[in-house]
Amino acid sequence: MIPGSFDYHRPTTIVAAVALLTELGEDARPLAGGHSLIPLMKTRLAAPEHLIDLGGIEGLNVVELDGDEIVIGAMTTQHALISSPLLAELLPIVRETALMIADPQIRYKGTIGGNCANGDPGNDMPALMQCLNARYALTGVTGTRDVSARSFYLGAYETALAAGEVLTSVRIPIPPAGHGYAYEKLKRKVGDYATAAAAVIVTMAAGTCTSASVGLTNVSETPLWAAESGLILTGSALDAATIDRAVAAAEAITNPASDMRGPSEYRTKMAGVMLRRALERARARATA
């Protein structure tokens, strides 16, 4: 189908972009890679009268080191994440996750900011960002504020973004050297959303897990940070009994819809299976 008519704006600064969004209000939508918004417009499920293209704003497509954190500009594409030597060295789970998003054509245009800001529980980056305890920079006419990824998602397609605000960057603490990581995703076919997926970061010392964090994708109306699972794993040898308890705790917080990917009970169990697989790979990758 063909989208409805709209006015196209391409500001060159973030100040101009948020000014336009504030002035035009509910009739305007920001445009990043467009892979979420444009399909909705084609089916007339979304009909904004104004599109504010963020592609002309300098400084939003960087991946850089800032002390003990990595800062990723919101317009950085999934392809750029995959190609980044800095991420490959310090945050390889970001590359691993980006490689599982859709297909190469979409990854060349899709952005981390759009993936995180849309509020779609099926997107892969939000649960990973919760697992990594990332923070989002949200810029509006009054300035920029930081919001934790763990408190950003309020419901399906509902986030902490205020009217006129744009997610401009993602700031991620660098996990300790030698950490283990994995993103496991079950999907029906290449390019599909996850039936269920799990992100895991662990650190080990002398055979004991000293920290653990778990994120879950597409098994609730929001991405999930399985805080209790991480607490259960921490202090253990990641033995079978402890992993069983951590998986049970993760499954308990899920509430997936029954849909074309399977009934709710199946998707919950697949979240547990993905978590087990992710823990196995993360443990194998971790060095004391």
Side-chain angles (χ1 to χ4, degrees):
M1 295 179 65
I2 299 173
S5 61
F6 58 87
D7 290 334
Y8 173 80
H9 308 263
R10 190 175 172 87
T12 58
T13 67
I14 191 62
V15 172
V18 298
L20 278 169
L21 287 169
T22 302
E23 175 189 350
L24 299 171
E26 295 183 358
D27 293 330
R29 294 284 296 273
L31 177 67
H35 289 300
S36 296
L37 179 58
I38 299 301
L40 291 176
M41 293 174 63
K42 286 183 176 180
T43 57
R44 304 297 177 99
L45 293 174
E49 296 180 10
H50 301 270
L51 284 187
I52 315 299
D53 188 349
L54 306 180
I57 301 174
E58 292 187 10
L60 293 187
N61 59 350
V62 298
V63 179
E64 57 190 13
L65 185 64
D66 183 12
D68 58 357
E69 296 180 319
I70 287 179
V71 180
I72 305 174
M75 291 297 290
T76 305
T77 64
Q78 309 296 344
H79 174 73
L81 299 178
I82 293 166
S83 305
S84 167
L86 185 63
L87 292 176
E89 177 187 359
L90 299 177
L91 269 174
I93 194 172
V94 174
R95 180 181 189 274
E96 180 163 285
T97 303
L99 278 167
M100 296 186 196
I101 293 175
D103 52 48
Q105 292 92 331
I106 287 177
R107 293 195 291 265
Y108 272 108
K109 292 293 291 182
T111 65
I112 188 172
N115 200 277
C116 290
N118 190 37
D120 185 340
N123 284 349
D124 293 284
M125 285 295 171
L128 174 61
M129 293 303 119
Q130 290 184 326
C131 177
L132 292 169
N133 198 19
R135 304 192 311 280
Y136 300 154
L138 311 181
T139 301
V141 291
T142 60
T144 299
R145 61 190 179 106
D146 276 1
V147 175
S148 168
R150 294 174 182 174
S151 59
F152 181 76
Y153 301 97
L154 309 179
Y157 300 98
E158 181 184 0
T159 71
L161 273 169
E165 283 187 328
V166 173
L167 192 158
T168 49
S169 67
V170 178
R171 184 174 289 268
I172 307 171
I174 300 171
H179 70 275
Y181 65 91
Y183 188 71
E184 284 285 345
K185 179 178 181 178
L186 175 65
K187 54 188 178 181
R188 298 172 302 166
K189 59 183 177 62
V190 172
D192 193 17
Y193 282 119
T195 299
V200 168
I201 294 285
V202 297
T203 55
M204 304 290 291
T208 297
C209 176
T210 56
S211 67
S213 186
V214 174
L216 302 174
T217 295
N218 212 20
V219 285
S220 184
E221 65 174 5
T222 67
L224 299 173
W225 177 52
E228 185 178 352
S229 294
L231 290 174
I232 290 169
L233 294 165
T234 302
S236 77
L238 297 185
D239 54 281
T242 300
I243 289 175
D244 285 346
R245 290 173 52 221
V247 167
E251 290 178 353
I253 65 172
T254 68
N255 185 30
S258 295
D259 60 14
M260 64 186 72
R261 295 174 182 85
S264 176
E265 296 82 1
Y266 167 74
R267 296 182 63 195
T268 287
K269 285 304 176 184
M270 290 305 99
V273 170
M274 293 303 104
L275 176 53
R276 286 182 189 277
R277 292 179 181 178
L279 282 168
E280 288 174 4
R281 288 205 298 123
R283 177 174 54 189
R285 286 168 163 171
T287 59

